[in-house]
Amino acid sequence: MARQSDSKAKTIAAAAQLFRQQGYHGTALHDILGAGGSPRGSLYFHFPKGKEEIGEAALGFVAERVREGIARAAEASDSAESFLVRVASHMGAELEQSGFKEGCPVAGVAVDAAAQSAVLGAAAGAAFQLWEREIGLGLERFGMAAGKAERVATMVLSQLEGALLLSRTYRSLEPIHRAGEALRLLASL
Amino acid sequence: MARQSDSKAKTIAAAAQLFRQQGYHGTALHDILGAGGSPRGSLYFHFPKGKEEIGEAALGFVAERVREGIARAAEASDSAESFLVRVASHMGAELEQSGFKEGCPVAGVAVDAAAQSAVLGAAAGAAFQLWEREIGLGLERFGMAAGKAERVATMVLSQLEGALLLSRTYRSLEPIHRAGEALRLLASL
Amino acid sequence: MARQSDSKAKTIAAAAQLFRQQGYHGTALHDILGAGGSPRGSLYFHFPKGKEEIGEAALGFVAERVREGIARAAEASDSAESFLVRVASHMGAELEQSGFKEGCPVAGVAVDAAAQSAVLGAAAGAAFQLWEREIGLGLERFGMAAGKAERVATMVLSQLEGALLLSRTYRSLEPIHRAGEALRLLASL
Amino acid sequence: MARQSDSKAKTIAAAAQLFRQQGYHGTALHDILGAGGSPRGSLYFHFPKGKEEIGEAALGFVAERVREGIARAAEASDSAESFLVRVASHMGAELEQSGFKEGCPVAGVAVDAAAQSAVLGAAAGAAFQLWEREIGLGLERFGMAAGKAERVATMVLSQLEGALLLSRTYRSLEPIHRAGEALRLLASL
DNA sequence: ACCCGCGGGACGGCCCGTTATT
DNA sequence: AATAACGGGCCGTCCCGCGGGT
């Protein structure tokens, strides 16, 4: 039992990291297995539907991890502004630490496979919506009206995703820094 | 051979469209060739370096096409606000027309391959910078100071890229519409 | 799928025969698989390093087979002369039976690939040395001093390899017959 | 006129060298063109029958070059023994100079393609026979009877070809040195 | 009359995502 | 839960003509 979930969890974590670096199609099952330490044949025991199911699980895994990060940032902040900036700088730090290789873990699957696979598309959408909701909650926490918070949350997430993409491509934190400025504006709406 | 550029240009255009829908690794050369009407071996003549060179060419192609679109939007507008909104709604229209399949043509390869291939990474970065510059130019045209325009342009592009990603994933224009709101804010900075 | 070695051994044998007829580069993996009755993908399982590994295995396989043939010839003979002639005529018979298509199974890859691939070169060299040693052992068996036997064995193998090449090219056993004469001389050294 | 034959001759010489190093099938037309400095399309002007015709021409070219070498060696020698040893050591020197890459230029084609292509097989056979004849002539020059010289010439060529193959594979001149010993024996027959 | 840029099908080998068997 | 085996398909590039230049 413990062994089982350990191996499965490791595989999911490895997949998430690789999808984030190389996209969904750019990542071979072989690499995931190698990174996760699992033997080759046992994969279809844990994930009977194959790669797509791994992708779905990886999406769910990172979705929750990031959601927690957003929630923690909200708790640790004392204003909408500092909340959003904290989220942005956390993303920037992760990106920089990975040598500008690891962008948004959901984008790597969404861009590659969302248009082809219904289940992957749904999972990616669910992840983004989970984050939107958590951002909206954070905004409400600092006094923003619920309806407005929902709309602003979308803008915030868009800004963050775009800045992450630009920063990764440029291999520079500048877009994320500038996104902080935009976020402050959005927070004061 | 008068029809030199015909086949090559068709291949590049087909590649650009497919990368945009399925990402770089999700697109097989076979599909590009099929869509472009070219046989397999001609490719080696036009693009001796293979798929990577096609990717580079496709990136250059769309970079310029989008840049022109931005420039035209600036010319057709009478304020920074209407300029940016026009760009956003143009993107939204394209996305909707394609059945929410075609997102940003650069993101499709940036996410997949920017971290792996130096030349693809550079080409993607060049495309984004080209657009940033053109947006900045448009902003200056309506009175924004150069230094500020440059910074705001980055935020604008981030917002657009993120909104495009979200809209495509959700299969809904809502994020792009909300991005319009954010853009108005940025324009009035 | 318990029948582990069946398919692999068949593939190796088929490869050895084809390399011998068409050389290393002249033989497509497709042909080897076809001749061995194996499906495409199993190959990557049995030979993770690809064609080179098949070549290596094929070389090892024929090296041992031929070595056994030499040893048997020595046992069946009562003089150095009859030993060497027996080896030569065995080679000639094989060549003739195949319609002058199958020469030395090692030469086919040594000529093609020894200069390019270190592992293939080493395997080919090992095969030749194995045969030299076995020939030398046979010579010692009939009274030749060890040191001389070693030197003469090299000459014998050279003579045999060269005669095989000539006979195959001419499509005539004549060179091998004449080699028999040279071998008798060498045996009486 | 002068331009024409120059380009063609260069191509043939380049092909001969490459076939010698990598075999017939291991050598791509692309490499030959590159080494010969010829443009791609002009190849089928000079060699309408394609690669096979290049192979044939290359075989004819080296056949004559080597024949001349043998004839010169005969002229420069004062005994059958020194003649044969001179030929062997010349071969050894060439092999060593090339870093043990360039073996017999005919063997590279004969092993690969002689069994498949009638014209290549014939050309390879013709080359070997030309050499045999020249060796026989040399032997007669030093007093050997014509009938015997013909038979011994075959043994000599076999010994040389085999030794060359072994030396190249081992990356050591030893087999060629030992062949010299065998050749002395043959000369004194 | 000679030359060659350009384009074209066809495999080449590699390896991918997956399924039987135990 | 894991070994052994499987087709399929990807990317590279190979060997080759067509038709315009010089």
Side-chain angles (χ1 to χ4, degrees), chain D residues 15-63:
Chain D
Q17 195 185 2
L18 287 168
F19 288 155
R20 176 180 205 173
Q21 290 181 12
Q22 316 169 350
Y24 180 76
H25 285 121
T27 302
L29 247 24
H30 178 260
D31 297 332
I32 298 177
L33 263 354
S38 300
R40 192 150 187 86
S42 57
L43 198 152
Y44 285 81
F45 174 77
H46 293 302
F47 307 95
K49 292 204 170 178
K51 193 181 187 181
E52 197 175 49
E53 193 172 350
I54 297 183
E56 199 183 357
L59 247 18
F61 171 69
V62 298

Side-chain angles (χ1 to χ4, degrees), chain C residues 22 25-26 108 110-112 116 125 128-129 132 150-151 154-155 158-159 162-163 166 168-170 178 181, chain D residues 22 25-26 108 110-112 116 125 128-129 132 150-151 154-155 158-159 161-163 166 168-170 178 181:
Chain C
Q22 314 169 351
H25 285 121
V111 165
D112 260 41
Q116 296 175 318
F128 283 145
Q129 276 176 330
E132 274 197 50
E150 196 213 323
R151 291 204 320 280
T154 307
M155 304 178 210
S158 288
Q159 183 72 36
L166 257 49
R168 192 168 90 113
T169 307
Y170 291 160
R178 296 187 183 177
E181 202 177 329
Chain D
Q22 316 169 350
H25 285 121
V111 166
D112 259 40
Q116 296 174 317
F128 283 145
Q129 276 177 330
E132 274 197 52
E150 196 212 324
R151 292 203 320 280
T154 306
M155 305 178 209
S158 287
Q159 182 71 34
E161 287 291 332
L166 257 49
R168 191 169 90 113
T169 306
Y170 291 161
R178 296 188 182 176
E181 201 175 332

Side-chain angles (χ1 to χ4, degrees), chain A:
Chain A
M1 181 72 193
R3 288 280 324 277
Q4 172 184 348
S5 44
D6 181 63
S7 179
K8 185 168 181 175
K10 268 198 171 182
T11 301
I12 292 174
Q17 195 185 1
L18 286 167
F19 288 155
R20 174 178 205 175
Q21 289 181 14
Q22 315 169 352
Y24 181 76
H25 285 121
T27 301
L29 245 25
H30 177 261
D31 297 333
I32 298 177
L33 263 354
S38 299
R40 190 150 186 88
S42 57
L43 198 153
Y44 285 81
F45 174 78
H46 293 302
F47 307 95
K49 293 203 169 180
K51 192 180 187 183
E52 196 175 49
E53 193 171 351
I54 296 183
E56 199 183 358
L59 248 19
F61 171 69
V62 299
E64 177 54 20
R65 262 206 341 164
V66 171
R67 191 203 58 74
E68 284 170 15
I70 296 171
R72 267 201 304 273
E75 284 171 26
S77 304
D78 55 2
S79 72
E81 202 184 296
S82 69
F83 159 49
L84 296 182
V85 167
R86 193 181 298 263
V87 171
S89 59
H90 182 65
M91 280 185 170
E94 267 198 347
L95 180 64
E96 195 177 19
Q97 273 173 21
S98 71
F100 291 95
K101 285 197 205 134
E102 305 188 356
C104 171
V106 169
V109 177
V111 166
D112 259 38
Q116 295 174 317
S117 157
V119 8
L120 253 21
F128 282 144
Q129 276 176 329
L130 192 70
W131 299 348
E132 275 198 49
R133 216 168 301 135
E134 198 67 40
I135 292 170
L137 250 39
L139 257 17
E140 288 180 41
R141 180 194 182 104
F142 297 110
M144 195 179 283
K148 181 193 274 189
E150 195 213 325
R151 291 204 322 280
V152 172
T154 306
M155 304 179 210
V156 166
L157 184 56
S158 288
Q159 182 74 37
L160 285 170
E161 287 291 333
L164 201 46
L165 174 60
L166 256 50
S167 275
R168 192 170 90 114
T169 306
Y170 291 160
R171 303 183 61 81
S172 151
L173 252 22
E174 194 59 33
I176 288 185
H177 287 151
R178 295 186 184 178
E181 201 175 333
L183 258 25
R184 267 189 288 271
L185 219 70
L186 257 13
S188 66
L189 250 184

Side-chain angles (χ1 to χ4, degrees), chain B residues 2-182:
Chain B
R3 21 196 267 284
Q4 171 182 354
S5 45
D6 184 16
S7 183
K8 184 167 183 177
K10 270 197 171 181
T11 301
I12 293 175
Q17 195 185 0
L18 286 167
F19 287 155
R20 175 178 205 174
Q21 290 180 13
Q22 314 170 350
Y24 181 76
H25 284 122
T27 301
L29 246 27
H30 177 260
D31 297 333
I32 298 176
L33 264 352
S38 302
R40 191 155 195 85
S42 315
L43 189 150
Y44 181 62
F45 174 77
H46 289 301
F47 308 94
K49 295 207 173 170
K51 192 179 186 182
E52 195 175 51
E53 193 171 351
I54 296 184
E56 198 183 359
L59 249 18
F61 171 70
V62 299
E64 177 55 21
R65 257 197 357 155
V66 170
R67 192 202 58 75
E68 282 170 16
I70 297 171
R72 267 201 304 273
E75 283 171 27
S77 305
D78 56 1
S79 73
E81 202 182 295
S82 68
F83 159 50
L84 296 182
V85 167
R86 193 182 298 261
V87 171
S89 59
H90 181 67
M91 281 185 169
E94 268 198 345
L95 180 63
E96 196 177 19
Q97 273 173 22
S98 70
F100 292 95
K101 285 198 205 136
E102 304 188 358
C104 170
V106 168
V109 357
V111 165
D112 259 39
Q116 295 175 319
S117 157
V119 6
L120 253 21
F128 283 145
Q129 275 176 329
L130 192 69
W131 299 348
E132 274 199 50
R133 217 167 301 137
E134 198 67 41
I135 293 170
L137 250 40
L139 258 17
E140 288 180 41
R141 179 191 183 105
F142 298 110
M144 194 179 284
K148 180 190 277 189
E150 195 213 322
R151 291 204 321 281
V152 172
T154 306
M155 305 179 208
V156 166
L157 184 57
S158 288
Q159 180 71 34
L160 285 169
E161 287 291 332
L164 203 46
L165 174 60
L166 257 50
S167 275
R168 191 169 91 113
T169 306
Y170 291 160
R171 303 182 60 82
S172 150
L173 251 21
E174 194 58 35
I176 288 186
H177 287 151
R178 295 187 182 175
E181 202 176 331

